[in-house]
Amino acid sequence: MTNPPQPPANAFWGGRFAAGPAAVMEEINASIGFDQRLWRQDISGSLAHAAMLARCGIITAQDEADIAQGLAAIAAEIESGRFPFARALEDIHFNIEARLTERIGEAGKRLHTGRSRNDQVATDFRLWVRDAIDGLDAQLADLMRALAGRAAQHAADPMPGFTHLQAAQPVTFGHHLLAYVEMLARDRGRLADGRRRLNESPLGAAALAGTSFPIDRAMTAAALGFDRPAANSLDAVSDRDFALEFLAAAAISAMHLSRLAEEMVIWCAAPFRFIALSDAFTTGSSIMPQKRNPDAAELVRAKTGRVTGALVGLLTVMKGLPLAYAKDMQEDKEGVFDAAEAWALSLAAMAGMVRDMRPDTARMRAAAGAGFATATDLADWLVRALALPFRTAHHVTGRLVARAEAKGVDLAGLTLDEMQAEEPRITQAVFGVLTVDASVASRTSFGGTAPANVAAAAQSWLERLA
């Protein structure tokens, strides 16, 4: 007499499979180790689905009440750390459904009517990304407030403006910080755009073709805060554009944070010393007692690689998939979770550093005039005062820079006679434009670095972000 076949480890597969999976299959197939963070979204989706099934007469009101009570108890178990997550049940969806059936019996088995894991996971993941977007948007706004606040404090404090990391023209420190406010505003715009496109509900698309049950997809979409149901069932279960857009926005924003982090690293370095960070955001050396390393900035800079890698990883997963769902898509979540965590941590660290940093405005001012930074002001004066064509003024200024460099002085260190040797019509008035303060004050064009412009822009941002 032969023994009957043993049931599979995951009983949800029903009668099709006579034996459980190989150990390596269980290892590669299970996602509960990372997708359990979707539990809140999974329970929300199931509550909305159950309410709709009852409203449409597909399950009874008592079934719905039992399901709601059971899911509330499961939520409490997960919150308290008492939920028995089982690797053999693969993912958060089967884990919750199995526990629900264990608690409430047959009603738990009816919950999956009119849906599939395909639309369930797509719905849960959208809800998770939407929640992440809302949290990250708030963090971006907080960092913008920190930058705008510091910009208002330093609207008139000059520093060197660089191109090619060479001294170019003086700007104000406030103006420099506001450049990052603009970048972060674009980051928020990308998140908002992605959120709008994300906000369609896959729930009820079932496995790929829809369902024969008389469900109301608009009802579940509204209950979950979506704008509408997704219009095509194939696309609803196989679309991961929302995750890619999220990662693209994350990668661009992480790049912005990395640029600011790089500047902080440079500004802290001995040749610059434009800012100092406190013990709260620096570390020491194991052998060099004098060291104060800007490790928080360096780690923000480094985390950009993780975020960019997550984007490239998901693009690579999705590029060869035919419609509709494929198990490859299980690889969509870990990168998104990791990128969101790295981005959030970077934003928190950067906001802390911006508020913590102590600018050395005297050192910045001294550096702002180095490297013949007012050469463009001289050329502009030649155009305005002497009506020289700009290209001619450029050449005259270049010759004066060469004279000053040979003499070992800045442009203001040349005598009037030395200047008139290159252009006889130059007058004593030229020296009035060769100071750092005169240079920044003259840049009054919209978006320029004139202190009044910077103060107004900083105040405008602070009001918008209040």
Side-chain angles (χ1 to χ4, degrees), residues 363-377:
R363 193 173 180 91
M364 287 189 196
R365 175 181 289 276
F372 309 105
T374 57
T376 307
D377 299 278

Side-chain angles (χ1 to χ4, degrees), residues 379-393 423 425:
D380 289 347
W381 184 88
L382 293 171
V383 170
R384 286 195 309 271
L386 305 184
L388 291 182
F390 181 80
R391 191 53 58 197
T392 302
E423 171 49 63
R425 290 181 292 161

Side-chain angles (χ1 to χ4, degrees), residues 271-294:
F272 287 84
R273 295 295 189 206
F274 288 173
I275 67 168
L277 293 170
S278 76
D279 294 352
F281 291 95
T282 56
T283 65
S285 164
S286 63
I287 65 169
M288 293 171 284
Q290 83 282 7
K291 294 295 294 296
R292 185 191 290 274
N293 300 319

Side-chain angles (χ1 to χ4, degrees), residues 252-382:
I252 294 171
S253 182
M255 174 270 293
H256 291 154
L257 297 178
S258 182
R259 294 182 73 180
L260 180 53
E262 170 71 4
E263 299 217 87
M264 286 189 163
V265 170
I266 291 171
W267 293 343
C268 287
F272 287 84
R273 295 295 189 206
F274 288 173
I275 67 168
L277 293 170
S278 76
D279 294 352
F281 291 95
T282 56
T283 65
S285 164
S286 63
I287 65 169
M288 293 171 284
Q290 83 282 7
K291 294 295 294 296
R292 185 191 290 274
N293 300 319
D295 282 7
E298 291 171 6
L299 288 166
V300 167
R301 188 175 59 185
K303 286 187 183 295
T304 307
R306 297 175 69 139
V307 178
T308 304
L311 171 61
V312 174
L314 185 53
L315 283 167
T316 306
V317 166
M318 297 300 298
K319 72 171 183 61
L321 299 187
L323 294 176
Y325 181 82
K327 194 68 172 186
D328 308 52
M329 291 185 194
Q330 184 165 290
E331 294 296 314
D332 60 358
K333 296 172 196 66
E334 284 185 281
V336 170
F337 295 158
D338 185 71
E341 186 175 293
W343 189 10
L345 184 56
S346 296
L347 286 165
M350 189 57 71
M353 284 186 285
V354 168
R355 292 185 170 104
D356 178 77
M357 67 181 177
R358 300 184 302 279
D360 188 334
T361 55
R363 193 173 180 91
M364 287 189 196
R365 175 181 289 276
F372 309 105
T374 57
T376 307
D377 299 278
L378 173 55
D380 289 347
W381 184 88
L382 293 171

